Structures are given as structure tokens and as C-alpha cells.
Amino acid sequence: MPSPSQDPAANSAAQPERIDIDDARALDEWSGKLDVTADQLREAVQAVGSVAADVEMHLKGSRSTTNADRVEDADGPVLRPELQPSRRRSARCSW
């Protein structure tokens, strides 16, 4: 049995995945995995390097939204609690 330093599988597991933007097949595969265009992938690799995890984090950061953004898109603007109308009901019966 080869030692870990001689075992190619052990060495590849220790190395991070890299994106080769000069390989059309790899570019297409990674574009699909990360749901971006080839140009967006090239720009990301140029910005942060070819380590796939770094590229993914860079791309997610550029597309991230906050919960407030998502709520505003769904329901309208988010009001600070002190600006929201009171939902407390009166203790007295109105009828």
C-alpha cells in the first residue's frame, strides 16, 4: 500500500478544487455548478484566484441579499418596530 505522500488520491483530496478558465469544458461545467455566465466566472477567477471555494464565496457575496431586502421585495418596505402600527386590541369590547 503506498504511503499518503505517494497516493495520488490522498494528494488530490488535500488540494482545493481549482477552476481552469482556459479549459472550455471546465468553464462550462463550473458556470453551470455556480449558476453564472462564463464571463462572470472569468471575472470572479481574475478577482479572487482559481480556488473554487473562493470563487463561489465571491460570487455569492456579489448576489447576496439581506432578509430585509427579501421581505421588502415580497411585502413592501420594512418599517422599524416603533413606526409600525399597533396591533394591540383594546381591552374593552367595541360592541
Coordinates of all heavy atoms in Angstrom, one line a residue:
M1 N 0.8 -1.2 0.0 CA 0.0 0.0 0.0 C 0.9 1.2 0.0 O 1.8 1.4 0.8 CB -0.9 0.0 1.2 CG -1.8 1.1 1.3 SD -3.0 0.7 2.6 CE -3.8 2.3 2.7
P2 N 0.6 2.2 -0.9 CA 1.5 3.4 -1.0 C 1.3 4.3 0.2 O 0.2 4.3 0.8 CB 1.1 4.1 -2.3 CG -0.2 3.5 -2.6 CD -0.4 2.2 -2.0
S3 N 2.3 5.0 0.6 CA 2.2 6.0 1.7 C 1.3 7.1 1.2 O 1.2 7.4 0.0 CB 3.6 6.5 2.1 OG 4.1 7.3 1.1
P4 N 0.8 7.9 2.2 CA -0.1 9.1 1.8 C 0.6 10.0 0.8 O 0.0 10.6 -0.1 CB -0.4 9.7 3.1 CG -0.3 8.7 4.1 CD 0.8 7.7 3.6
S5 N 1.9 10.2 0.9 CA 2.6 11.1 0.0 C 2.8 10.6 -1.4 O 3.0 11.3 -2.3 CB 4.0 11.5 0.6 OG 4.8 10.3 0.7
Q6 N 2.6 9.2 -1.5 CA 2.7 8.6 -2.8 C 1.3 8.3 -3.4 O 1.2 8.0 -4.6 CB 3.5 7.3 -2.7 CG 4.9 7.5 -2.3 CD 5.6 6.1 -2.1 OE1 5.0 5.1 -1.8 NE2 6.9 6.1 -2.1
D7 N 0.3 8.4 -2.6 CA -1.0 8.0 -3.1 C -1.7 9.3 -3.7 O -1.9 10.3 -3.1 CB -1.9 7.6 -1.9 CG -3.3 7.2 -2.3 OD1 -3.6 7.1 -3.5 OD2 -4.1 6.9 -1.4
P8 N -1.9 9.2 -5.1 CA -2.5 10.3 -5.8 C -3.8 10.8 -5.3 O -4.1 11.9 -5.2 CB -2.6 9.9 -7.2 CG -1.9 8.5 -7.3 CD -1.7 8.1 -6.0
A9 N -4.6 9.8 -4.8 CA -6.0 10.2 -4.3 C -5.8 11.0 -3.0 O -6.6 11.9 -2.8 CB -6.8 8.9 -4.0
A10 N -4.9 10.6 -2.1 CA -4.7 11.4 -0.9 C -4.2 12.8 -1.2 O -4.6 13.7 -0.5 CB -3.7 10.6 0.0
N11 N -3.3 12.9 -2.2 CA -2.8 14.2 -2.5 C -3.9 15.1 -3.1 O -3.9 16.3 -2.8 CB -1.6 14.1 -3.5 CG -0.4 13.6 -2.8 OD1 -0.2 13.8 -1.6 ND2 0.5 13.0 -3.5
S12 N -4.7 14.5 -4.0 CA -5.8 15.4 -4.6 C -6.8 15.8 -3.6 O -7.4 16.8 -3.7 CB -6.4 14.6 -5.8 OG -7.1 13.5 -5.3
A13 N -7.1 15.0 -2.6 CA -8.0 15.3 -1.5 C -7.6 16.5 -0.7 O -8.4 17.3 -0.2 CB -8.3 14.1 -0.6
A14 N -6.3 16.6 -0.5 CA -5.7 17.7 0.3 C -5.7 19.0 -0.5 O -5.6 20.1 0.1 CB -4.3 17.3 0.8
Q15 N -5.7 18.9 -1.8 CA -5.6 20.1 -2.7 C -7.0 20.6 -2.9 O -7.9 19.9 -3.3 CB -5.0 19.8 -4.0 CG -3.5 19.3 -3.9 CD -2.6 20.4 -3.3 OE1 -2.7 21.5 -3.7 NE2 -1.8 20.0 -2.4
P16 N -7.2 22.0 -2.8 CA -8.5 22.5 -3.1 C -8.8 22.4 -4.6 O -7.9 22.4 -5.5 CB -8.4 24.0 -2.7 CG -6.9 24.3 -2.8 CD -6.2 23.0 -2.5
E17 N -10.1 22.3 -4.9 CA -10.5 22.3 -6.3 C -10.2 23.7 -7.0 O -10.4 24.7 -6.3 CB -12.0 22.1 -6.5 CG -12.5 20.6 -6.2 CD -13.9 20.5 -6.5 OE1 -14.7 20.8 -5.7 OE2 -14.2 20.0 -7.7
R18 N -9.7 23.6 -8.2 CA -9.4 24.8 -8.9 C -10.2 24.9 -10.2 O -10.6 23.9 -10.8 CB -7.9 24.9 -9.2 CG -7.1 24.9 -7.9 CD -5.7 25.4 -8.2 NE -4.9 25.6 -7.0 CZ -4.8 26.7 -6.4 NH1 -5.4 27.8 -6.8 NH2 -4.1 26.8 -5.2
I19 N -10.5 26.1 -10.6 CA -11.2 26.4 -11.8 C -10.3 26.8 -12.9 O -9.6 27.9 -12.7 CB -12.3 27.5 -11.6 CG1 -13.3 27.0 -10.5 CG2 -13.1 27.8 -12.9 CD1 -14.3 28.0 -10.1
D20 N -10.2 26.1 -14.0 CA -9.3 26.4 -15.1 C -10.2 27.1 -16.2 O -10.9 26.5 -16.9 CB -8.7 25.2 -15.7 CG -7.7 25.4 -16.8 OD1 -7.5 26.6 -17.2 OD2 -7.2 24.5 -17.4
I21 N -10.1 28.5 -16.2 CA -10.9 29.2 -17.1 C -10.4 29.1 -18.5 O -11.1 29.6 -19.5 CB -11.0 30.7 -16.7 CG1 -9.7 31.4 -16.6 CG2 -11.8 30.8 -15.4 CD1 -9.8 32.9 -16.3
D22 N -9.2 28.5 -18.7 CA -8.7 28.3 -20.1 C -9.2 27.0 -20.7 O -9.0 26.8 -21.9 CB -7.2 28.4 -20.1 CG -6.6 29.7 -19.7 OD1 -7.3 30.8 -20.1 OD2 -5.6 29.8 -19.0
D23 N -9.9 26.2 -19.9 CA -10.4 24.9 -20.4 C -11.9 25.1 -20.6 O -12.7 25.3 -19.7 CB -10.2 23.8 -19.4 CG -10.7 22.5 -19.7 OD1 -11.5 22.4 -20.7 OD2 -10.5 21.5 -19.0
A24 N -12.4 25.1 -21.9 CA -13.8 25.4 -22.2 C -14.7 24.5 -21.5 O -15.8 24.9 -21.0 CB -14.0 25.4 -23.7
R25 N -14.3 23.2 -21.4 CA -15.2 22.2 -20.7 C -15.3 22.5 -19.3 O -16.4 22.5 -18.7 CB -14.6 20.8 -21.0 CG -15.5 19.7 -20.6 CD -14.9 18.4 -21.1 NE -15.6 17.3 -20.6 CZ -15.2 16.1 -20.8 NH1 -14.1 15.8 -21.5 NH2 -15.9 15.1 -20.4
A26 N -14.2 22.9 -18.6 CA -14.3 23.2 -17.2 C -15.0 24.5 -17.0 O -15.8 24.6 -16.0 CB -12.8 23.3 -16.6
L27 N -14.8 25.4 -17.8 CA -15.6 26.7 -17.7 C -17.1 26.5 -17.8 O -17.8 27.0 -17.0 CB -15.1 27.6 -18.9 CG -15.6 29.1 -18.8 CD1 -15.0 29.8 -17.6 CD2 -15.1 29.8 -20.1
D28 N -17.5 25.7 -18.7 CA -18.9 25.3 -18.9 C -19.4 24.6 -17.7 O -20.5 24.9 -17.2 CB -19.1 24.5 -20.2 CG -20.6 24.3 -20.5 OD1 -21.3 25.3 -20.5 OD2 -21.0 23.1 -20.7
E29 N -18.7 23.6 -17.2 CA -19.1 22.9 -16.0 C -19.2 23.7 -14.8 O -20.2 23.7 -14.1 CB -18.1 21.8 -15.7 CG -18.4 20.9 -14.5 CD -17.3 19.9 -14.2 OE1 -16.6 19.5 -15.2 OE2 -17.2 19.5 -13.1
W30 N -18.2 24.6 -14.5 CA -18.3 25.4 -13.3 C -19.3 26.5 -13.5 O -20.0 26.9 -12.5 CB -16.9 26.0 -13.0 CG -16.0 25.0 -12.3 CD1 -15.0 24.3 -12.9 CD2 -16.1 24.6 -11.0 NE1 -14.4 23.5 -11.9 CE2 -15.1 23.7 -10.8 CE3 -16.9 25.0 -9.9 CZ2 -14.9 23.1 -9.5 CZ3 -16.7 24.4 -8.7 CH2 -15.7 23.4 -8.5
S31 N -19.5 27.0 -14.6 CA -20.6 28.0 -14.9 C -21.9 27.4 -14.5 O -22.7 28.1 -13.8 CB -20.6 28.5 -16.3 OG -19.4 29.2 -16.6
G32 N -22.2 26.2 -14.9 CA -23.4 25.5 -14.5 C -23.5 25.3 -13.0 O -24.6 25.5 -12.5
K33 N -22.5 24.8 -12.4 CA -22.5 24.5 -11.0 C -22.8 25.7 -10.2 O -23.5 25.7 -9.2 CB -21.1 23.9 -10.5 CG -20.9 22.5 -10.8 CD -19.6 22.1 -10.2 CE -19.3 20.6 -10.5 NZ -18.0 20.2 -9.9
L34 N -22.2 26.9 -10.6 CA -22.3 28.1 -9.8 C -23.4 29.0 -10.3 O -23.6 30.1 -9.7 CB -20.9 28.8 -9.8 CG -19.8 28.1 -9.2 CD1 -18.5 28.8 -9.4 CD2 -20.0 27.8 -7.7
D35 N -24.1 28.6 -11.4 CA -25.2 29.3 -11.9 C -24.8 30.7 -12.3 O -25.5 31.7 -11.9 CB -26.4 29.3 -10.9 CG -27.7 29.8 -11.6 OD1 -27.9 29.6 -12.8 OD2 -28.5 30.4 -10.8
V36 N -23.8 30.9 -13.1 CA -23.3 32.1 -13.5 C -22.9 32.0 -15.0 O -22.8 30.9 -15.5 CB -22.1 32.7 -12.8 CG1 -22.4 32.9 -11.3 CG2 -20.9 31.7 -12.8
T37 N -22.7 33.1 -15.7 CA -22.3 33.1 -17.1 C -20.7 32.8 -17.1 O -20.1 33.0 -16.1 CB -22.5 34.4 -17.8 OG1 -21.7 35.4 -17.2 CG2 -24.0 34.8 -17.7
A38 N -20.2 32.5 -18.2 CA -18.8 32.2 -18.4 C -18.0 33.5 -18.1 O -17.0 33.5 -17.5 CB -18.5 31.7 -19.8
D39 N -18.6 34.7 -18.5 CA -17.9 35.9 -18.3 C -17.9 36.3 -16.8 O -16.9 36.7 -16.3 CB -18.6 37.1 -19.1 CG -18.3 37.0 -20.5 OD1 -17.3 36.4 -20.9 OD2 -19.1 37.6 -21.3
Q40 N -19.0 36.0 -16.1 CA -19.0 36.2 -14.6 C -18.0 35.3 -13.9 O -17.3 35.8 -13.0 CB -20.4 36.0 -14.1 CG -21.4 37.0 -14.5 CD -22.8 36.6 -14.0 OE1 -23.2 35.4 -14.2 NE2 -23.6 37.5 -13.5
L41 N -17.9 34.1 -14.4 CA -16.9 33.2 -13.8 C -15.5 33.7 -14.1 O -14.6 33.6 -13.1 CB -17.1 31.8 -14.3 CG -16.3 30.7 -13.7 CD1 -16.5 30.6 -12.2 CD2 -16.6 29.3 -14.4
R42 N -15.2 34.1 -15.3 CA -13.8 34.6 -15.6 C -13.5 35.8 -14.7 O -12.4 35.9 -14.2 CB -13.8 35.0 -17.1 CG -13.6 33.9 -18.0 CD -13.3 34.4 -19.4 NE -13.6 33.4 -20.4 CZ -14.8 33.2 -21.1 NH1 -15.7 34.1 -20.9 NH2 -14.9 32.2 -21.9
E43 N -14.4 36.7 -14.6 CA -14.2 37.9 -13.7 C -14.0 37.5 -12.3 O -13.1 38.1 -11.6 CB -15.4 38.8 -13.8 CG -15.5 39.5 -15.2 CD -16.8 40.3 -15.3 OE1 -17.6 40.5 -14.3 OE2 -17.1 40.8 -16.4
A44 N -14.7 36.5 -11.8 CA -14.5 36.1 -10.4 C -13.2 35.5 -10.2 O -12.5 35.7 -9.2 CB -15.6 35.1 -10.0
V45 N -12.7 34.6 -11.1 CA -11.4 34.0 -11.0 C -10.3 35.0 -11.1 O -9.3 35.0 -10.4 CB -11.3 32.9 -12.1 CG1 -9.8 32.4 -12.2 CG2 -12.2 31.7 -11.9
Q46 N -10.5 36.0 -11.9 CA -9.5 37.1 -12.0 C -9.5 37.9 -10.7 O -8.4 38.4 -10.3 CB -9.8 38.0 -13.2 CG -9.5 37.4 -14.5 CD -9.9 38.2 -15.7 OE1 -10.6 39.2 -15.6 NE2 -9.5 37.7 -16.9
A47 N -10.6 38.0 -10.1 CA -10.7 38.8 -8.8 C -10.1 38.1 -7.6 O -9.4 38.7 -6.8 CB -12.1 39.2 -8.5
V48 N -10.4 36.8 -7.5 CA -10.0 36.1 -6.2 C -9.1 34.9 -6.5 O -8.7 34.2 -5.5 CB -11.2 35.6 -5.5 CG1 -12.1 36.8 -5.0 CG2 -12.1 34.6 -6.2
G49 N -8.8 34.5 -7.7 CA -7.9 33.4 -8.0 C -8.8 32.2 -8.4 O -10.0 32.3 -8.5
S50 N -8.1 31.1 -8.6 CA -8.8 29.9 -9.2 C -9.3 28.9 -8.2 O -9.9 27.9 -8.6 CB -7.9 29.2 -10.2 OG -6.7 28.7 -9.5
V51 N -9.2 29.1 -6.9 CA -9.7 28.1 -5.9 C -11.2 28.2 -5.9 O -11.8 29.3 -5.7 CB -9.1 28.4 -4.5 CG1 -9.8 27.5 -3.5 CG2 -7.6 28.3 -4.5
A52 N -11.8 27.1 -6.2 CA -13.3 27.0 -6.4 C -14.1 27.6 -5.2 O -15.0 28.3 -5.4 CB -13.7 25.6 -6.7
A53 N -13.7 27.3 -4.0 CA -14.4 27.7 -2.8 C -14.3 29.3 -2.7 O -15.3 29.9 -2.4 CB -13.8 27.1 -1.6
D54 N -13.2 29.8 -3.1 CA -13.0 31.3 -3.0 C -13.9 32.0 -4.1 O -14.5 33.0 -3.8 CB -11.6 31.7 -3.2 CG -10.7 31.3 -2.1 OD1 -11.2 30.9 -1.0 OD2 -9.4 31.2 -2.3
V55 N -13.9 31.4 -5.3 CA -14.8 31.9 -6.4 C -16.2 31.8 -6.0 O -17.0 32.8 -6.2 CB -14.5 31.1 -7.7 CG1 -15.5 31.5 -8.8 CG2 -13.0 31.3 -8.1
E56 N -16.6 30.7 -5.4 CA -18.0 30.6 -5.0 C -18.4 31.6 -4.0 O -19.5 32.2 -4.1 CB -18.3 29.2 -4.5 CG -19.7 28.9 -4.1 CD -20.0 27.5 -3.6 OE1 -19.0 26.8 -3.3 OE2 -21.2 27.1 -3.5
M57 N -17.6 31.8 -3.0 CA -17.9 32.8 -1.9 C -17.9 34.2 -2.5 O -18.8 35.0 -2.2 CB -16.9 32.7 -0.8 CG -17.0 31.5 0.0 SD -18.6 31.2 0.7 CE -18.7 32.5 1.9
H58 N -17.0 34.5 -3.4 CA -17.0 35.8 -4.1 C -18.3 36.0 -4.9 O -19.0 37.1 -4.8 CB -15.8 35.9 -5.0 CG -15.8 37.2 -5.8 ND1 -15.3 38.4 -5.3 CD2 -16.1 37.4 -7.1 CE1 -15.4 39.3 -6.3 NE2 -15.9 38.7 -7.4
L59 N -18.7 35.0 -5.6 CA -20.0 35.1 -6.4 C -21.2 35.2 -5.5 O -22.1 36.0 -5.8 CB -20.1 33.9 -7.4 CG -19.1 33.9 -8.5 CD1 -19.1 32.6 -9.2 CD2 -19.4 35.1 -9.5
K60 N -21.2 34.5 -4.4 CA -22.4 34.5 -3.5 C -22.5 35.9 -2.9 O -23.5 36.4 -2.7 CB -22.3 33.4 -2.5 CG -22.7 32.1 -3.0 CD -22.6 31.1 -1.8 CE -23.1 29.7 -2.3 NZ -23.0 28.7 -1.3
G61 N -21.3 36.4 -2.5 CA -21.3 37.7 -1.9 C -21.8 38.8 -2.8 O -22.5 39.7 -2.4
S62 N -21.5 38.7 -4.1 CA -22.0 39.7 -5.0 C -23.5 39.6 -5.3 O -24.1 40.5 -5.9 CB -21.2 39.6 -6.3 OG -21.5 38.4 -7.0
R63 N -24.1 38.4 -5.0 CA -25.5 38.3 -5.2 C -26.3 38.2 -4.0 O -27.5 38.0 -4.0 CB -25.7 36.9 -6.0 CG -25.1 37.0 -7.4 CD -25.5 35.7 -8.1 NE -24.9 34.6 -7.4 CZ -24.9 33.3 -7.9 NH1 -25.5 33.1 -9.0 NH2 -24.3 32.4 -7.3
S64 N -25.7 38.4 -2.8 CA -26.4 38.2 -1.6 C -27.4 39.3 -1.3 O -27.2 40.4 -1.7 CB -25.4 38.0 -0.4 OG -24.8 39.2 -0.2
T65 N -28.4 39.0 -0.6 CA -29.4 39.9 -0.1 C -29.6 39.8 1.3 O -29.3 38.7 1.9 CB -30.7 39.8 -0.9 OG1 -31.2 38.5 -0.6 CG2 -30.6 40.0 -2.3
T66 N -30.1 40.7 2.0 CA -30.5 40.6 3.4 C -31.9 40.2 3.5 O -32.7 40.2 2.6 CB -30.3 42.0 4.1 OG1 -31.3 42.9 3.6 CG2 -28.9 42.5 3.9
N67 N -32.3 39.8 4.7 CA -33.7 39.4 4.9 C -34.6 40.5 4.7 O -35.7 40.4 4.1 CB -33.8 38.8 6.3 CG -35.2 38.2 6.5 OD1 -35.7 37.5 5.7 ND2 -35.8 38.6 7.6
A68 N -34.2 41.7 5.1 CA -35.0 42.9 4.9 C -35.2 43.2 3.4 O -36.3 43.5 3.0 CB -34.3 44.1 5.5
D69 N -34.2 42.9 2.5 CA -34.4 43.0 1.1 C -35.4 42.1 0.6 O -36.3 42.5 -0.2 CB -33.1 42.8 0.4 CG -32.0 43.8 0.6 OD1 -32.3 44.9 1.0 OD2 -30.8 43.4 0.5
R70 N -35.4 40.8 1.1 CA -36.3 39.8 0.6 C -37.7 40.2 1.1 O -38.7 40.0 0.3 CB -35.9 38.4 1.0 CG -34.7 37.9 0.3 CD -34.4 36.5 0.6 NE -34.0 36.3 2.0 CZ -32.8 36.4 2.5 NH1 -31.8 36.8 1.7 NH2 -32.5 36.2 3.8
V71 N -37.9 40.6 2.3 CA -39.2 41.0 2.8 C -39.8 42.2 2.0 O -40.9 42.2 1.7 CB -39.2 41.3 4.3 CG1 -40.5 41.9 4.8 CG2 -38.8 40.0 5.1
E72 N -38.9 43.2 1.8 CA -39.4 44.3 1.1 C -39.8 44.0 -0.3 O -40.8 44.4 -0.8 CB -38.2 45.4 1.0 CG -38.7 46.7 0.4 CD -37.7 47.8 0.5 OE1 -36.8 47.7 1.4 OE2 -37.7 48.7 -0.3
D73 N -39.1 43.1 -1.0 CA -39.5 42.6 -2.3 C -40.8 41.9 -2.3 O -41.6 42.1 -3.2 CB -38.4 41.7 -2.9 CG -37.1 42.4 -3.3 OD1 -37.1 43.7 -3.4 OD2 -36.1 41.7 -3.5
A74 N -41.1 41.2 -1.2 CA -42.3 40.4 -1.1 C -43.5 41.2 -0.6 O -44.6 41.1 -1.2 CB -42.1 39.2 -0.2
D75 N -43.3 42.0 0.4 CA -44.4 42.7 1.1 C -44.4 44.2 1.0 O -45.3 44.8 1.5 CB -44.4 42.3 2.5 CG -44.7 40.8 2.7 OD1 -45.3 40.2 1.8 OD2 -44.2 40.2 3.7
G76 N -43.4 44.8 0.5 CA -43.3 46.2 0.6 C -42.2 46.6 1.6 O -41.5 45.8 2.1
P77 N -42.1 47.9 1.9 CA -41.0 48.4 2.8 C -41.1 47.8 4.2 O -42.2 47.6 4.7 CB -41.1 49.9 2.8 CG -42.5 50.1 2.3 CD -42.9 49.0 1.5
V78 N -40.0 47.6 4.8 CA -39.9 47.1 6.2 C -39.8 48.4 7.1 O -39.0 49.2 6.9 CB -38.6 46.3 6.4 CG1 -38.5 45.9 7.9 CG2 -38.7 45.1 5.5
L79 N -40.8 48.4 8.0 CA -40.8 49.6 9.0 C -40.1 49.2 10.3 O -40.2 48.0 10.7 CB -42.3 50.0 9.3 CG -43.1 50.5 8.1 CD1 -44.5 50.7 8.6 CD2 -42.5 51.7 7.5
R80 N -39.4 50.1 10.9 CA -38.8 49.9 12.2 C -40.0 49.6 13.1 O -41.1 50.2 13.0 CB -38.0 51.1 12.6 CG -36.8 51.3 11.7 CD -35.9 52.3 12.3 NE -36.5 53.5 13.0 CZ -36.5 54.7 12.5 NH1 -35.9 55.0 11.4 NH2 -37.1 55.7 13.1
P81 N -39.8 48.8 14.2 CA -40.9 48.5 15.1 C -41.6 49.7 15.7 O -42.8 49.7 15.8 CB -40.2 47.7 16.2 CG -39.0 47.1 15.5 CD -38.5 48.1 14.5
E82 N -40.9 50.7 16.0 CA -41.5 51.9 16.6 C -42.4 52.7 15.6 O -43.2 53.5 15.9 CB -40.5 52.9 17.2 CG -39.5 53.5 16.2 CD -38.3 52.6 16.0 OE1 -38.2 51.5 16.4 OE2 -37.3 53.2 15.4
L83 N -42.2 52.4 14.3 CA -43.0 53.0 13.2 C -44.2 52.2 12.8 O -45.1 52.7 12.1 CB -42.2 53.4 12.0 CG -41.0 54.4 12.3 CD1 -40.2 54.6 11.0 CD2 -41.5 55.7 12.8
Q84 N -44.2 50.9 13.2 CA -45.3 50.0 12.8 C -46.6 50.3 13.6 O -46.5 50.7 14.7 CB -44.9 48.6 13.0 CG -43.8 48.2 12.0 CD -43.5 46.7 12.2 OE1 -44.0 46.0 13.0 NE2 -42.5 46.2 11.4
P85 N -47.7 50.3 12.9 CA -49.0 50.5 13.6 C -49.2 49.5 14.7 O -48.8 48.3 14.6 CB -50.1 50.4 12.5 CG -49.4 49.9 11.3 CD -47.9 49.9 11.5
S86 N -49.8 49.9 15.8 CA -50.0 49.0 16.9 C -51.0 47.9 16.5 O -52.0 48.2 15.9 CB -50.5 49.8 18.1 OG -50.8 48.9 19.2
R87 N -50.8 46.7 16.9 CA -51.7 45.6 16.7 C -52.4 45.2 17.9 O -53.2 44.2 17.9 CB -51.0 44.4 16.0 CG -50.4 44.7 14.7 CD -49.9 43.5 14.1 NE -49.3 43.9 12.8 CZ -48.8 43.1 11.9 NH1 -48.9 41.8 12.2 NH2 -48.3 43.5 10.8
R88 N -52.2 45.9 19.0 CA -52.8 45.6 20.3 C -54.3 45.9 20.2 O -54.7 47.0 19.8 CB -52.2 46.4 21.4 CG -52.0 45.6 22.6 CD -51.4 46.4 23.7 NE -50.2 47.0 23.3 CZ -49.5 47.8 24.1 NH1 -49.9 48.1 25.3 NH2 -48.4 48.4 23.6
R89 N -55.1 45.0 20.7 CA -56.6 45.3 20.7 C -57.0 45.9 22.0 O -56.3 45.7 23.1 CB -57.3 44.0 20.5 CG -57.1 43.4 19.2 CD -58.0 42.2 18.9 NE -57.7 41.7 17.6 CZ -58.5 41.6 16.7 NH1 -59.8 41.9 16.8 NH2 -58.2 41.1 15.5
S90 N -58.0 46.7 22.0 CA -58.5 47.3 23.2 C -59.0 46.2 24.1 O -59.6 45.2 23.7 CB -59.6 48.3 22.8 OG -60.2 48.8 24.0
A91 N -58.8 46.5 25.4 CA -59.3 45.6 26.4 C -60.9 45.6 26.5 O -61.5 44.7 26.9 CB -58.8 45.9 27.8
R92 N -61.4 46.7 26.1 CA -62.9 46.9 26.1 C -63.5 46.3 24.8 O -62.9 46.4 23.8 CB -63.3 48.3 26.2 CG -62.9 48.9 27.6 CD -63.4 50.3 27.7 NE -62.9 51.1 26.7 CZ -63.2 52.4 26.5 NH1 -64.1 52.9 27.3 NH2 -62.7 53.1 25.6
C93 N -64.6 45.8 24.9 CA -65.3 45.3 23.8 C -65.9 46.4 23.0 O -66.5 47.3 23.6 CB -66.4 44.3 24.2 SG -67.2 43.5 22.9
S94 N -65.9 46.4 21.7 CA -66.4 47.6 21.0 C -67.9 47.4 20.6 O -68.4 48.3 20.1 CB -65.6 47.7 19.7 OG -65.7 46.6 18.9
W95 N -68.5 46.4 21.0 CA -69.9 46.2 20.7 C -70.7 46.1 21.9 O -71.2 46.2 22.7 CB -70.2 44.9 19.8 CG -69.4 43.7 20.2 CD1 -68.2 43.5 19.9 CD2 -69.9 42.6 20.9 NE1 -67.8 42.3 20.4 CE2 -68.9 41.7 21.0 CE3 -71.1 42.2 21.5 CZ2 -69.0 40.5 21.6 CZ3 -71.2 41.0 22.1 CH2 -70.2 40.1 22.2

